[in-house]
Amino acid sequence: MATTAAGALGLLWGWLWSERFWLPQNVSWADLEGPGDGYGYPRAQHILSVFPVAAGIFSVRLLFERFIAKPCALHVGIQDSGPYQAQPNAILEKVFVSITKYPDEKRLEGLSKQLDWDVRKIQCWFRHRRNQDKPPTLTKFCESMWRFTFYLCIFCYGIKFLWSSPWFWDIRQCWRSYPYQPLTSGLYYYYIMELAFYWSLMFSQFTDIKRKDFLIMFVHHLATIGLITFSYINNMVRVGTLVMCLHDASDFLLEAAKLANYAKYQRLCDTLFVIFSAVFVVTRLGIYPFWILNTTFFESWEMIGPYPSWWLFNGLLLILQVLHVIWSYLIVRIAFKALIRGKQGEWHPTQVSKDDRSDVESSSEEEDVTTNPKSACGSGPSNGANRVNGHPGRSYWAEE
């Protein structure tokens, strides 16, 4: 039995690392055993070093959020307090938990008669109750500040590294002498840090704020890890560095806009959102297909020819381009809706509908209830407290 199991595992292992799948014709794993220069050639066992690095990144994140991000949040006026608590009511709590969190007009009227409460007061109670389950703005600010810091640092490192790399200026260098392209220390650290960061996101996603796009982002992180790992093992790291740097170019702008939104610097948020949208569309719909996909599909076909893993690699990159088109459509839709809504006044990219938000129940009305429950319930004057930087406080930017 043990011999049969060992034989089956041997066949499976041989199939997983088949040279006919991974490598071009007339190339074997033995050919890549040589040290080459620098760090030698990429090997699958190098990936194992990612996990302790990912744990280290996660630990650094915890320290960063506590000792750097939180003081910054408090400095810009974000309060270290939970949402306004709804007053205890057994009937409304039962409806909230068992039936609906968003009662319609008919149910509101029935509850009004049953409790002898005003409809507006019941609506306010449900808003308060929904806000109790929402994460505080301070927590969201700290998460976004960590991601902003990492994305900005890794993007700057990527630009610095690629600036001195020949394939940044002549992309055909990605395929010359392939797969005999030894690693350098800079390339190795770039890949390991990117891969470790996404592994840390995979771990932390289960403890971070739960958003509506949890499953989508889980699949996204999994696909990103798979693509980075695949390109490393297959030694397509040169073109891989270009893909990673191209995506990092807009990610830190997205997080910066979130930070401005949480801090209620609405004009800055609007500006950053416009810049992010422009960079995203240019890089994902312009540079990526006409520079990256052009070289992976056509120039690599000409210089090294297709083989099984080549088809898979390009298939994954093509799927990524489909996602780029979908995300670009969502971003443009947000901007278009904001433009339509702002025709009667000043345009704000942040004025979007509740359905366009990915934060859990982050409707603008509920945000106002959290910060000023009395004025939201109609029991106190507004006195302009919900206006920030000359913009209406309700115009919160969508985290699509």
Side-chain angles (χ1 to χ4, degrees):
M1 181 66 70
T3 304
T4 304
L9 289 175
L11 290 175
L12 178 61
W13 186 258
W15 177 80
L16 286 175
W17 299 105
S18 170
E19 294 173 348
R20 293 183 58 186
F21 172 79
W22 286 98
L23 302 174
Q25 291 182 356
N26 302 321
V27 179
S28 66
W29 293 117
D31 296 332
L32 301 177
E33 289 292 332
D37 297 324
Y39 279 66
Y41 299 113
R43 298 184 181 181
Q45 54 263 38
H46 292 172
I47 301 298
L48 297 177
S49 63
V50 164
F51 298 105
V53 176
I57 290 177
F58 184 72
S59 300
V60 171
R61 170 190 169 172
L62 297 178
L63 295 174
F64 178 90
E65 291 184 355
R66 180 174 181 179
F67 296 106
I68 298 179
K70 185 176 180 179
C72 290
L74 298 175
H75 181 72
V76 298
I78 297 176
Q79 298 180 355
D80 187 9
S81 60
Y84 182 83
Q85 299 292 314
Q87 68 181 85
N89 188 291
I91 296 176
L92 295 181
E93 184 69 23
K94 183 177 180 180
V95 173
F96 183 88
V97 174
S98 305
I99 302 177
T100 178
K101 297 180 180 180
Y102 295 90
D104 55 21
E105 185 177 352
K106 182 178 179 181
R107 190 176 298 279
L108 286 172
E109 291 177 354
L111 290 171
S112 176
K113 294 178 181 179
Q114 184 178 359
L115 296 172
D116 194 24
W117 280 18
D118 183 75
V119 170
R120 176 61 178 167
K121 185 177 180 180
I122 296 176
Q123 288 176 326
C124 192
W125 187 95
F126 273 93
R127 293 193 191 100
H128 290 162
R129 183 61 183 84
R130 287 194 295 269
N131 277 328
Q132 288 181 205
D133 297 334
K134 290 175 59 178
T137 302
L138 179 66
T139 303
K140 294 190 288 186
F141 183 94
C142 292
E143 284 188 9
S144 289
M145 188 170 180
W146 162 249
R147 295 182 185 182
F148 165 77
T149 303
F150 182 87
Y151 286 138
L152 179 60
C153 291
I154 200 68
F155 174 69
C156 292
Y157 177 85
I159 288 293
K160 181 179 181 296
F161 168 74
L162 289 172
W163 197 264
S164 59
S165 302
W167 59 89
F168 183 71
W169 307 102
D170 178 14
I171 200 169
R172 292 174 67 89
Q173 291 283 346
C174 291
W175 314 112
R176 291 199 175 117
S177 303
Y178 178 84
Y180 303 106
Q181 298 173 340
L183 285 170
T184 62
S185 59
L187 196 156
Y188 173 79
Y189 292 137
Y190 189 21
Y191 246 79
I192 293 300
M193 286 300 295
E194 284 273 11
L195 187 55
F197 176 71
Y198 280 103
W199 269 114
S200 73
L201 289 183
M202 283 285 288
F203 301 148
S204 65
Q205 193 173 17
F206 297 96
T207 58
D208 287 345
I209 297 169
K210 296 297 185 295
R211 292 183 168 89
K212 292 181 181 179
D213 60 354
F214 172 84
L215 182 59
I216 296 175
M217 292 310 298
F218 178 81
V219 174
H220 169 267
H221 295 333
L222 193 63
T224 302
I225 289 171
L227 190 56
I228 294 176
T229 303
F230 181 87
S231 64
Y232 186 86
I233 295 175
N234 206 28
N235 202 16
M236 291 186 175
V237 289
R238 292 186 176 183
V239 72
T241 57
L242 298 176
V243 174
M244 291 189 301
C245 189
L246 192 68
H247 285 74
D248 292 336
S250 59
D251 287 344
F252 73 91
L253 292 170
L254 177 70
E255 299 302 331
K258 290 182 183 180
L259 292 175
N261 174 46
Y262 298 145
K264 297 185 179 180
Y265 291 114
Q266 210 59 50
R267 294 184 187 277
L268 178 61
C269 175
D270 295 348
T271 302
L272 289 171
F273 178 79
V274 171
I275 297 174
F276 159 74
S277 302
V279 172
F280 188 94
V281 171
V282 169
T283 54
R284 310 295 177 94
L285 299 186
I287 298 176
Y288 181 83
F290 294 106
W291 193 45
I292 300 296
L293 293 184
N294 176 68
T295 194
T296 59
F297 272 95
F298 303 110
E299 293 178 348
S300 66
W301 180 296
E302 174 189 340
M303 298 181 69
I304 64 175
Y307 53 98
S309 65
W310 180 93
W311 288 105
L312 179 57
F313 182 68
N314 279 285
L316 294 173
L317 293 178
L318 198 58
I319 292 173
L320 193 58
Q321 178 59 26
V322 173
L323 294 176
H324 292 165
V325 174
I326 296 173
W327 289 330
S328 297
Y329 163 75
L330 294 175
I331 292 171
V332 171
R333 187 183 68 173
I334 292 171
F336 180 75
K337 287 184 178 181
L339 179 63
I340 295 300
R341 295 183 179 206
K343 279 188 175 180
Q344 295 179 351
E346 187 178 357
W347 172 56
H348 304 299
T350 59
Q351 293 176 342
V352 296
S353 66
K354 175 174 171 287
D355 292 336
D356 288 326
R357 301 172 187 269
S358 66
D359 270 335
V360 178
E361 296 189 14
S362 57
S363 67
S364 57
E365 188 175 16
E366 290 173 358
E367 290 283 0
D368 289 340
V369 171
T370 305
T371 57
N372 196 349
K374 289 186 177 181
S375 63
C377 293
S379 59
S382 176
N383 70 14
N386 287 331
R387 296 184 64 86
V388 286
N389 295 336
H391 288 243
R394 68 178 181 275
S395 59
Y396 273 66
W397 176 68
E399 298 179 5
E400 187 76 47

PDB file of all heavy atoms in Angstrom, residues 367-394:
ATOM      1  N   GLU A 367     -23.862  57.802   7.633  1.00  0.00           N
ATOM      2  CA  GLU A 367     -22.647  58.420   8.138  1.00  0.00           C
ATOM      3  C   GLU A 367     -22.992  59.684   8.918  1.00  0.00           C
ATOM      4  O   GLU A 367     -22.397  59.987   9.941  1.00  0.00           O
ATOM      5  CB  GLU A 367     -21.711  58.770   6.973  1.00  0.00           C
ATOM      6  CG  GLU A 367     -21.095  57.560   6.286  1.00  0.00           C
ATOM      7  CD  GLU A 367     -19.969  56.973   7.091  1.00  0.00           C
ATOM      8  OE1 GLU A 367     -19.672  57.504   8.173  1.00  0.00           O
ATOM      9  OE2 GLU A 367     -19.385  55.978   6.656  1.00  0.00           O
ATOM     10  N   ASP A 368     -23.975  60.437   8.427  1.00  0.00           N
ATOM     11  CA  ASP A 368     -24.379  61.644   9.129  1.00  0.00           C
ATOM     12  C   ASP A 368     -25.021  61.306  10.475  1.00  0.00           C
ATOM     13  O   ASP A 368     -24.861  62.019  11.453  1.00  0.00           O
ATOM     14  CB  ASP A 368     -25.382  62.440   8.285  1.00  0.00           C
ATOM     15  CG  ASP A 368     -24.718  63.075   7.078  1.00  0.00           C
ATOM     16  OD1 ASP A 368     -23.477  63.207   7.112  1.00  0.00           O
ATOM     17  OD2 ASP A 368     -25.417  63.420   6.123  1.00  0.00           O
ATOM     18  N   VAL A 369     -25.760  60.200  10.511  1.00  0.00           N
ATOM     19  CA  VAL A 369     -26.374  59.784  11.772  1.00  0.00           C
ATOM     20  C   VAL A 369     -25.303  59.460  12.795  1.00  0.00           C
ATOM     21  O   VAL A 369     -25.427  59.760  13.974  1.00  0.00           O
ATOM     22  CB  VAL A 369     -27.279  58.552  11.535  1.00  0.00           C
ATOM     23  CG1 VAL A 369     -27.738  57.983  12.856  1.00  0.00           C
ATOM     24  CG2 VAL A 369     -28.485  58.943  10.697  1.00  0.00           C
ATOM     25  N   THR A 370     -24.217  58.831  12.338  1.00  0.00           N
ATOM     26  CA  THR A 370     -23.151  58.466  13.260  1.00  0.00           C
ATOM     27  C   THR A 370     -22.521  59.694  13.890  1.00  0.00           C
ATOM     28  O   THR A 370     -22.191  59.706  15.068  1.00  0.00           O
ATOM     29  CB  THR A 370     -22.067  57.658  12.512  1.00  0.00           C
ATOM     30  OG1 THR A 370     -22.697  56.546  11.888  1.00  0.00           O
ATOM     31  CG2 THR A 370     -21.002  57.170  13.464  1.00  0.00           C
ATOM     32  N   THR A 371     -22.315  60.737  13.086  1.00  0.00           N
ATOM     33  CA  THR A 371     -21.613  61.900  13.581  1.00  0.00           C
ATOM     34  C   THR A 371     -22.522  62.897  14.261  1.00  0.00           C
ATOM     35  O   THR A 371     -22.096  63.655  15.117  1.00  0.00           O
ATOM     36  CB  THR A 371     -20.897  62.598  12.418  1.00  0.00           C
ATOM     37  OG1 THR A 371     -21.875  62.929  11.430  1.00  0.00           O
ATOM     38  CG2 THR A 371     -19.857  61.689  11.804  1.00  0.00           C
ATOM     39  N   ASN A 372     -23.803  62.922  13.885  1.00  0.00           N
ATOM     40  CA  ASN A 372     -24.714  63.903  14.451  1.00  0.00           C
ATOM     41  C   ASN A 372     -26.100  63.308  14.551  1.00  0.00           C
ATOM     42  O   ASN A 372     -26.971  63.619  13.749  1.00  0.00           O
ATOM     43  CB  ASN A 372     -24.725  65.158  13.570  1.00  0.00           C
ATOM     44  CG  ASN A 372     -25.345  66.342  14.295  1.00  0.00           C
ATOM     45  OD1 ASN A 372     -25.946  66.181  15.354  1.00  0.00           O
ATOM     46  ND2 ASN A 372     -25.203  67.521  13.715  1.00  0.00           N
ATOM     47  N   PRO A 373     -26.351  62.407  15.498  1.00  0.00           N
ATOM     48  CA  PRO A 373     -27.603  61.681  15.549  1.00  0.00           C
ATOM     49  C   PRO A 373     -28.800  62.569  15.790  1.00  0.00           C
ATOM     50  O   PRO A 373     -29.880  62.305  15.286  1.00  0.00           O
ATOM     51  CB  PRO A 373     -27.387  60.688  16.701  1.00  0.00           C
ATOM     52  CG  PRO A 373     -26.289  61.263  17.517  1.00  0.00           C
ATOM     53  CD  PRO A 373     -25.418  62.000  16.573  1.00  0.00           C
ATOM     54  N   LYS A 374     -28.652  63.630  16.545  1.00  0.00           N
ATOM     55  CA  LYS A 374     -29.809  64.454  16.852  1.00  0.00           C
ATOM     56  C   LYS A 374     -30.321  65.176  15.627  1.00  0.00           C
ATOM     57  O   LYS A 374     -31.511  65.179  15.329  1.00  0.00           O
ATOM     58  CB  LYS A 374     -29.450  65.457  17.945  1.00  0.00           C
ATOM     59  CG  LYS A 374     -29.257  64.804  19.317  1.00  0.00           C
ATOM     60  CD  LYS A 374     -29.057  65.848  20.382  1.00  0.00           C
ATOM     61  CE  LYS A 374     -28.939  65.195  21.762  1.00  0.00           C
ATOM     62  NZ  LYS A 374     -28.759  66.195  22.818  1.00  0.00           N
ATOM     63  N   SER A 375     -29.379  65.782  14.857  1.00  0.00           N
ATOM     64  CA  SER A 375     -29.835  66.504  13.677  1.00  0.00           C
ATOM     65  C   SER A 375     -30.372  65.551  12.630  1.00  0.00           C
ATOM     66  O   SER A 375     -31.266  65.886  11.867  1.00  0.00           O
ATOM     67  CB  SER A 375     -28.682  67.328  13.090  1.00  0.00           C
ATOM     68  OG  SER A 375     -27.644  66.478  12.667  1.00  0.00           O
ATOM     69  N   ALA A 376     -29.837  64.319  12.571  1.00  0.00           N
ATOM     70  CA  ALA A 376     -30.312  63.358  11.581  1.00  0.00           C
ATOM     71  C   ALA A 376     -31.716  62.895  11.899  1.00  0.00           C
ATOM     72  O   ALA A 376     -32.481  62.533  11.015  1.00  0.00           O
ATOM     73  CB  ALA A 376     -29.367  62.162  11.522  1.00  0.00           C
ATOM     74  N   CYS A 377     -32.089  62.856  13.174  1.00  0.00           N
ATOM     75  CA  CYS A 377     -33.412  62.395  13.561  1.00  0.00           C
ATOM     76  C   CYS A 377     -34.434  63.522  13.573  1.00  0.00           C
ATOM     77  O   CYS A 377     -35.590  63.289  13.904  1.00  0.00           O
ATOM     78  CB  CYS A 377     -33.349  61.759  14.951  1.00  0.00           C
ATOM     79  SG  CYS A 377     -32.404  60.247  14.973  1.00  0.00           S
ATOM     80  N   GLY A 378     -33.969  64.721  13.286  1.00  0.00           N
ATOM     81  CA  GLY A 378     -34.893  65.827  13.231  1.00  0.00           C
ATOM     82  C   GLY A 378     -35.193  66.431  14.574  1.00  0.00           C
ATOM     83  O   GLY A 378     -36.127  67.204  14.708  1.00  0.00           O
ATOM     84  N   SER A 379     -34.401  66.110  15.588  1.00  0.00           N
ATOM     85  CA  SER A 379     -34.660  66.629  16.922  1.00  0.00           C
ATOM     86  C   SER A 379     -33.706  67.748  17.304  1.00  0.00           C
ATOM     87  O   SER A 379     -33.638  68.142  18.440  1.00  0.00           O
ATOM     88  CB  SER A 379     -34.558  65.508  17.960  1.00  0.00           C
ATOM     89  OG  SER A 379     -33.290  64.930  17.923  1.00  0.00           O
ATOM     90  N   GLY A 380     -32.940  68.238  16.357  1.00  0.00           N
ATOM     91  CA  GLY A 380     -32.021  69.327  16.644  1.00  0.00           C
ATOM     92  C   GLY A 380     -31.648  70.023  15.381  1.00  0.00           C
ATOM     93  O   GLY A 380     -31.770  69.478  14.294  1.00  0.00           O
ATOM     94  N   PRO A 381     -31.171  71.247  15.440  1.00  0.00           N
ATOM     95  CA  PRO A 381     -30.811  71.983  14.247  1.00  0.00           C
ATOM     96  C   PRO A 381     -29.533  71.451  13.637  1.00  0.00           C
ATOM     97  O   PRO A 381     -28.660  70.930  14.322  1.00  0.00           O
ATOM     98  CB  PRO A 381     -30.619  73.417  14.764  1.00  0.00           C
ATOM     99  CG  PRO A 381     -30.233  73.238  16.198  1.00  0.00           C
ATOM    100  CD  PRO A 381     -30.936  72.035  16.675  1.00  0.00           C
ATOM    101  N   SER A 382     -29.412  71.607  12.319  1.00  0.00           N
ATOM    102  CA  SER A 382     -28.219  71.132  11.634  1.00  0.00           C
ATOM    103  C   SER A 382     -27.085  72.119  11.757  1.00  0.00           C
ATOM    104  O   SER A 382     -25.937  71.740  11.865  1.00  0.00           O
ATOM    105  CB  SER A 382     -28.539  70.899  10.150  1.00  0.00           C
ATOM    106  OG  SER A 382     -27.388  70.541   9.456  1.00  0.00           O
ATOM    107  N   ASN A 383     -27.356  73.382  11.682  1.00  0.00           N
ATOM    108  CA  ASN A 383     -26.426  74.497  11.791  1.00  0.00           C
ATOM    109  C   ASN A 383     -25.163  74.349  10.954  1.00  0.00           C
ATOM    110  O   ASN A 383     -24.111  74.866  11.270  1.00  0.00           O
ATOM    111  CB  ASN A 383     -26.050  74.771  13.258  1.00  0.00           C
ATOM    112  CG  ASN A 383     -25.180  73.699  13.896  1.00  0.00           C
ATOM    113  OD1 ASN A 383     -24.624  72.851  13.212  1.00  0.00           O
ATOM    114  ND2 ASN A 383     -25.068  73.735  15.199  1.00  0.00           N
ATOM    115  N   GLY A 384     -25.280  73.583   9.860  1.00  0.00           N
ATOM    116  CA  GLY A 384     -24.156  73.475   8.928  1.00  0.00           C
ATOM    117  C   GLY A 384     -23.033  72.600   9.401  1.00  0.00           C
ATOM    118  O   GLY A 384     -21.948  72.641   8.856  1.00  0.00           O
ATOM    119  N   ALA A 385     -23.260  71.784  10.418  1.00  0.00           N
ATOM    120  CA  ALA A 385     -22.166  70.972  10.958  1.00  0.00           C
ATOM    121  C   ALA A 385     -21.739  69.877  10.016  1.00  0.00           C
ATOM    122  O   ALA A 385     -20.659  69.339  10.136  1.00  0.00           O
ATOM    123  CB  ALA A 385     -22.591  70.358  12.286  1.00  0.00           C
ATOM    124  N   ASN A 386     -22.598  69.538   9.080  1.00  0.00           N
ATOM    125  CA  ASN A 386     -22.271  68.442   8.178  1.00  0.00           C
ATOM    126  C   ASN A 386     -21.646  68.937   6.884  1.00  0.00           C
ATOM    127  O   ASN A 386     -21.675  68.250   5.875  1.00  0.00           O
ATOM    128  CB  ASN A 386     -23.534  67.625   7.839  1.00  0.00           C
ATOM    129  CG  ASN A 386     -23.974  66.797   9.004  1.00  0.00           C
ATOM    130  OD1 ASN A 386     -23.161  66.403   9.821  1.00  0.00           O
ATOM    131  ND2 ASN A 386     -25.265  66.552   9.113  1.00  0.00           N
ATOM    132  N   ARG A 387     -21.071  70.118   6.894  1.00  0.00           N
ATOM    133  CA  ARG A 387     -20.371  70.623   5.726  1.00  0.00           C
ATOM    134  C   ARG A 387     -18.884  70.685   6.056  1.00  0.00           C
ATOM    135  O   ARG A 387     -18.480  71.166   7.100  1.00  0.00           O
ATOM    136  CB  ARG A 387     -20.887  72.001   5.320  1.00  0.00           C
ATOM    137  CG  ARG A 387     -22.323  72.011   4.892  1.00  0.00           C
ATOM    138  CD  ARG A 387     -22.741  73.388   4.423  1.00  0.00           C
ATOM    139  NE  ARG A 387     -22.010  73.793   3.244  1.00  0.00           N
ATOM    140  CZ  ARG A 387     -22.359  73.483   1.993  1.00  0.00           C
ATOM    141  NH1 ARG A 387     -23.416  72.736   1.778  1.00  0.00           N
ATOM    142  NH2 ARG A 387     -21.647  73.895   0.966  1.00  0.00           N
ATOM    143  N   VAL A 388     -18.083  70.165   5.131  1.00  0.00           N
ATOM    144  CA  VAL A 388     -16.648  70.157   5.348  1.00  0.00           C
ATOM    145  C   VAL A 388     -15.968  70.722   4.121  1.00  0.00           C
ATOM    146  O   VAL A 388     -16.251  70.330   2.990  1.00  0.00           O
ATOM    147  CB  VAL A 388     -16.129  68.721   5.620  1.00  0.00           C
ATOM    148  CG1 VAL A 388     -16.509  68.277   6.997  1.00  0.00           C
ATOM    149  CG2 VAL A 388     -16.637  67.738   4.587  1.00  0.00           C
ATOM    150  N   ASN A 389     -15.050  71.658   4.353  1.00  0.00           N
ATOM    151  CA  ASN A 389     -14.294  72.254   3.257  1.00  0.00           C
ATOM    152  C   ASN A 389     -15.191  72.816   2.171  1.00  0.00           C
ATOM    153  O   ASN A 389     -14.868  72.766   0.986  1.00  0.00           O
ATOM    154  CB  ASN A 389     -13.342  71.221   2.627  1.00  0.00           C
ATOM    155  CG  ASN A 389     -12.282  70.790   3.610  1.00  0.00           C
ATOM    156  OD1 ASN A 389     -11.987  71.531   4.547  1.00  0.00           O
ATOM    157  ND2 ASN A 389     -11.724  69.622   3.419  1.00  0.00           N
ATOM    158  N   GLY A 390     -16.352  73.299   2.558  1.00  0.00           N
ATOM    159  CA  GLY A 390     -17.242  73.897   1.576  1.00  0.00           C
ATOM    160  C   GLY A 390     -18.074  72.903   0.818  1.00  0.00           C
ATOM    161  O   GLY A 390     -18.848  73.265  -0.058  1.00  0.00           O
ATOM    162  N   HIS A 391     -17.950  71.623   1.117  1.00  0.00           N
ATOM    163  CA  HIS A 391     -18.694  70.576   0.429  1.00  0.00           C
ATOM    164  C   HIS A 391     -19.724  70.001   1.376  1.00  0.00           C
ATOM    165  O   HIS A 391     -19.487  69.886   2.575  1.00  0.00           O
ATOM    166  CB  HIS A 391     -17.759  69.443  -0.029  1.00  0.00           C
ATOM    167  CG  HIS A 391     -16.886  69.842  -1.164  1.00  0.00           C
ATOM    168  ND1 HIS A 391     -16.951  69.243  -2.386  1.00  0.00           N
ATOM    169  CD2 HIS A 391     -15.932  70.806  -1.267  1.00  0.00           C
ATOM    170  CE1 HIS A 391     -16.054  69.789  -3.190  1.00  0.00           C
ATOM    171  NE2 HIS A 391     -15.434  70.741  -2.530  1.00  0.00           N
ATOM    172  N   PRO A 392     -20.861  69.543   0.881  1.00  0.00           N
ATOM    173  CA  PRO A 392     -21.821  68.883   1.757  1.00  0.00           C
ATOM    174  C   PRO A 392     -21.202  67.642   2.379  1.00  0.00           C
ATOM    175  O   PRO A 392     -20.567  66.860   1.695  1.00  0.00           O
ATOM    176  CB  PRO A 392     -22.978  68.519   0.813  1.00  0.00           C
ATOM    177  CG  PRO A 392     -22.816  69.410  -0.368  1.00  0.00           C
ATOM    178  CD  PRO A 392     -21.349  69.662  -0.497  1.00  0.00           C
ATOM    179  N   GLY A 393     -21.398  67.449   3.677  1.00  0.00           N
ATOM    180  CA  GLY A 393     -20.819  66.292   4.355  1.00  0.00           C
ATOM    181  C   GLY A 393     -21.370  64.977   3.868  1.00  0.00           C
ATOM    182  O   GLY A 393     -20.804  63.948   4.090  1.00  0.00           O
ATOM    183  N   ARG A 394     -22.528  64.999   3.200  1.00  0.00           N
ATOM    184  CA  ARG A 394     -23.135  63.735   2.760  1.00  0.00           C
ATOM    185  C   ARG A 394     -22.451  63.169   1.532  1.00  0.00           C
ATOM    186  O   ARG A 394     -22.724  62.042   1.130  1.00  0.00           O
ATOM    187  CB  ARG A 394     -24.618  63.961   2.459  1.00  0.00           C
ATOM    188  CG  ARG A 394     -24.884  64.842   1.245  1.00  0.00           C
ATOM    189  CD  ARG A 394     -26.363  64.996   0.981  1.00  0.00           C
ATOM    190  NE  ARG A 394     -26.626  65.810  -0.197  1.00  0.00           N
ATOM    191  CZ  ARG A 394     -26.684  67.123  -0.198  1.00  0.00           C
ATOM    192  NH1 ARG A 394     -26.479  67.781   0.931  1.00  0.00           N
ATOM    193  NH2 ARG A 394     -26.931  67.804  -1.298  1.00  0.00           N
TER     194      ARG A 394
END
